[in-house]
Amino acid sequence: MKIKEDNNRAISELGFTTISEVYSNEEIDRMIELIAKTDTTKDTFRKSKELFAVRQFLKEIPEIHTLVFNENLKQIIKDYFGKDYFVVKSIYFDKPETSNWYVAYHQDLTISVDQKIEINDFGPWTVKQNQFAVQPPVSVLENIFTIRIHLDDTDEHNGALKVIDKSHAKGIYRPETIDWNTETETICSVPKGGVMIMKPLLLHGSNRTTNQKRRRVIHIEFSDVQLPEGLNWSERIN
């Protein structure tokens, strides 16, 4: 019970927490096998020597649902966020062993939706791989939480997320305004089979891989907000 309370406090106060041993090695290996068998020629797949990514991951590989949403993850969602949350976005990232992919500090400020509708306080809009994305009001972003499932041991040597503690509570926070005299940076090491829970307004980034070990992560965002005026989450899964 104390661990749950500590994690809840960390999410609320710091904007993130990590939980180990959510998946067994066997479950992780089965996920990796399913991903490896997937047709990667679709528009939602991005493949280069630096990065392999799958947008709309849970839609593209539906047979992986029962593995991802095992009893441990379902209990985590229930314990930390309640029963009304649903999936609103899913992405798979693979940083290969030789990747020099560097991600600068940023917040996740857009949501994926089914169409473009001009609504007050929603914008700007973008389109990637035939997917509409829009920046919603801060209140919508504050409601979202992200679970990152780690398929590999991840630390500062192979691109673990680095975050600015408590930055999720400061609204829109431009990276160029970070005051390093007052802010605290944390490297979020997560073992294989563990998860990181974070708020999308948390400033986060990652460094280049230096130990020739890959980093594979399933990134899933959740919300319980109904969007206004006929706008719908494009990837909603209950």
Side-chain angles (χ1 to χ4, degrees):
M1 182 62 72
K2 185 177 186 304
I3 293 174
K4 175 183 170 183
E5 291 174 356
D6 289 347
N7 283 329
N8 261 327
R9 188 178 304 110
I11 295 167
S12 175
E13 295 180 4
L14 300 178
F16 68 96
T17 195
T18 60
I19 303 173
S20 301
E21 299 180 352
V22 177
Y23 299 92
S24 67
N25 285 336
E26 290 76 17
E27 287 173 317
I28 294 296
D29 291 344
R30 285 164 60 198
M31 288 190 216
I32 291 170
E33 286 177 13
L34 281 175
I35 294 167
K37 293 177 182 177
T38 303
D39 176 8
T40 61
T41 61
K42 300 178 183 178
D43 289 342
T44 50
F45 290 71
R46 175 180 178 180
K47 201 167 189 177
S48 72
K49 67 177 183 178
E50 300 286 2
L51 178 73
F52 174 52
V54 184
R55 294 182 180 275
Q56 302 182 40
F57 174 75
L58 292 173
K59 282 189 174 183
E60 293 292 355
I61 312 179
E63 59 270 32
I64 209 166
H65 284 211
T66 55
L67 286 170
V68 169
F69 293 99
N70 68 1
E71 291 305 315
N72 289 338
L73 191 73
K74 288 191 285 188
Q75 191 64 48
I76 286 169
I77 295 167
K78 180 181 176 182
D79 285 349
Y80 293 91
F81 305 103
K83 59 182 176 58
D84 296 325
Y85 275 76
F86 45 85
V87 174
V88 296
K89 183 186 289 186
S90 60
I91 310 172
Y92 169 75
F93 296 104
D94 178 0
K95 264 190 178 180
E97 297 92 330
T98 57
S99 175
N100 282 318
W101 189 267
Y102 168 83
V103 180
Y105 267 113
H106 66 285
Q107 296 172 300
D108 293 337
L109 296 177
T110 64
I111 60 174
S112 297
V113 294
D114 64 336
Q115 59 184 313
K116 183 176 181 179
I117 303 176
E118 296 299 337
I119 302 174
N120 288 340
D121 300 323
F122 279 74
W125 290 80
T126 59
V127 181
K128 292 181 181 178
Q129 283 90 31
N130 300 315
Q131 171 71 71
F132 290 104
V134 64
Q135 182 171 325
V138 168
S139 60
V140 175
L141 296 171
E142 289 174 337
N143 169 268
I144 296 170
F145 72 89
T146 299
I147 293 181
R148 293 168 57 88
I149 301 164
H150 284 250
L151 308 187
D152 301 288
D153 292 325
T154 308
D155 59 24
E156 69 272 21
H157 302 297
N158 64 330
L161 278 195
K162 54 183 182 179
V163 304
I164 304 297
D165 298 10
K166 304 180 181 181
S167 55
H168 70 297
K170 299 182 179 181
I172 305 300
Y173 189 167
R174 299 301 177 191
E176 61 271 18
T177 68
I178 296 173
D179 182 354
W180 291 109
N181 294 313
T182 60
E183 299 291 16
T184 300
E185 178 181 84
T186 298
I187 304 294
C188 299
S189 297
V190 185
K192 176 181 177 179
V195 303
M196 177 183 178
I197 303 173
M198 61 176 279
K199 303 296 291 180
L201 286 176
L202 186 74
L203 274 167
H204 59 283
S206 63
N207 293 328
R208 295 177 174 87
T209 300
T210 60
N211 64 356
Q212 285 69 57
K213 292 184 179 179
R214 72 197 302 181
R215 186 205 72 177
R216 290 167 289 188
V217 174
I218 298 170
H219 168 116
I220 307 176
E221 297 177 17
F222 300 80
S223 177
D224 65 354
V225 168
Q226 305 300 322
L227 299 175
E229 300 182 34
L231 197 62
N232 295 299
W233 303 95
S234 65
E235 296 181 56
R236 176 167 178 162
I237 301 171
N238 293 325

